Amino acid sequence: MECLIGICGKDFVLIASDNLAAHSIIAIKHDNHKQFELSDKMVMAVSGDAGDMSNYAEYIQKNLKLYEMIHGYKLTPNAAANFSRKVMAQSLRSRGPYMVNLLLAGVEDDGTPCLYFMDYLASMVKEKFAAHGYGSFFILSTMDRYYKDNMSKQEAVDLLKMCIKEVQSRFIVNLNAFSVKIIDKDGITSIGDVPCSGTIHNDVPKEAIHPELIARA
């Protein structure tokens, strides 16, 4: 039921993840953050089993920091993606594999943006746009139609909103909002939450609901 979205632009990468934490058919919370900053120019968005999400993402995050402390320089997004895939592949051959899917977005030292798609079977590919979760059934067709090379940041945000609108109108699960970050040569910029037009439930705390949704209610 979760949804991750990544869009690679001219000199940046946009990454978004829904804020829903669910177990089976139960929505537990609507302010769950699924993005982990691996460095000042790299973000990993993770979906899957709640425990595995935290364990896997934090393991990658801390090991990249340890590598930097030992060797004196940071891994590039390409190196970090391959290390992440190695960890996933090793766990797949153990008794406790990580049941997570992820998108890794970052900017190389020369300013080149990159987006890596990886699933729980440790398959990895570099993409210009990608999506995980049931929402990908609706998102990928929209991306195929409207994505273009060298998109500006505003064009990427507009495309993201178009994808979210499609998910909201077609997917049966109510997703409250998406957390969005943009990574470029200057670092990571959070552009806040992009609200969906879904139903607001009375038992959901107002602080967990995007203000624009409350205004519409």
Side-chain angles (χ1 to χ4, degrees):
M1 292 184 288
E2 297 166 304
C3 187
L4 308 178
I5 307 171
I7 303 173
C8 200
K10 182 179 180 180
D11 55 0
F12 69 93
V13 187
L14 181 150
I15 194 163
S17 59
D18 72 277
N19 295 339
L20 176 66
H23 177 71
S24 184
I25 62 171
I26 302 172
I28 299 173
K29 56 188 295 189
H30 292 262
D31 57 352
N32 185 36
H33 296 290
K34 303 172 184 178
Q35 298 176 13
F36 297 80
E37 296 185 7
L38 304 183
S39 73
D40 57 347
K41 296 181 182 178
M42 192 163 30
V43 174
M44 175 187 287
V46 190
S47 66
D49 180 82
D52 285 351
M53 282 171 55
S54 296
N55 288 339
Y56 177 80
E58 290 179 8
Y59 180 83
I60 298 298
Q61 188 181 50
K62 304 310 178 186
N63 271 272
L64 293 187
K65 187 62 178 178
L66 177 63
Y67 186 94
E68 179 188 352
M69 293 170 64
I70 293 175
H71 298 281
Y73 63 91
K74 300 176 182 178
L75 286 179
T76 64
N78 178 265
N82 281 280
F83 172 71
S84 301
R85 182 193 175 281
K86 175 188 174 183
V87 172
M88 189 79 76
Q90 289 174 336
S91 77
L92 189 64
R93 291 157 177 81
S94 70
R95 294 185 178 182
Y98 291 114
M99 299 303 294
V100 297
N101 300 305
L102 65 96
L103 297 178
L104 193 152
V107 176
E108 299 284 357
D109 293 335
D110 61 358
T112 304
C114 48
L115 174 66
Y116 293 91
F117 172 100
M118 192 184 310
D119 65 11
Y120 71 101
L121 295 175
S123 61
M124 183 183 76
V125 63
K126 186 177 181 180
E127 294 283 9
K128 293 183 178 180
F129 60 83
H132 270 302
Y134 285 115
S136 65
F137 290 105
F138 315 105
I139 291 168
L140 292 178
S141 58
T142 304
M143 293 280 197
D144 281 331
R145 173 65 179 84
Y146 295 104
Y147 178 85
K148 60 183 181 181
D149 292 330
N150 298 322
M151 297 183 76
S152 67
K153 292 180 181 179
Q154 187 56 53
E155 288 174 331
V157 171
D158 291 341
L159 178 56
L160 172 66
K161 291 180 178 180
M162 192 182 302
C163 292
I164 292 175
K165 182 179 179 181
E166 193 67 23
V167 169
Q168 193 62 43
S169 62
R170 300 296 180 185
F171 192 34
I172 61 173
V173 176
N174 176 43
L175 300 176
N176 173 250
F178 282 72
S179 296
V180 186
K181 287 186 174 69
I182 291 179
I183 306 99
D184 58 20
K185 61 182 179 60
D186 297 320
I188 301 168
T189 304
S190 175
I191 62 174
D193 291 349
V194 176
C196 298
S197 57
T199 303
I200 298 177
H201 301 286
N202 293 329
D203 59 341
V204 177
K206 284 197 172 183
E207 58 270 18
I209 302 175
H210 196 280
E212 290 188 24
L213 279 182
I214 297 176
R216 295 191 199 127

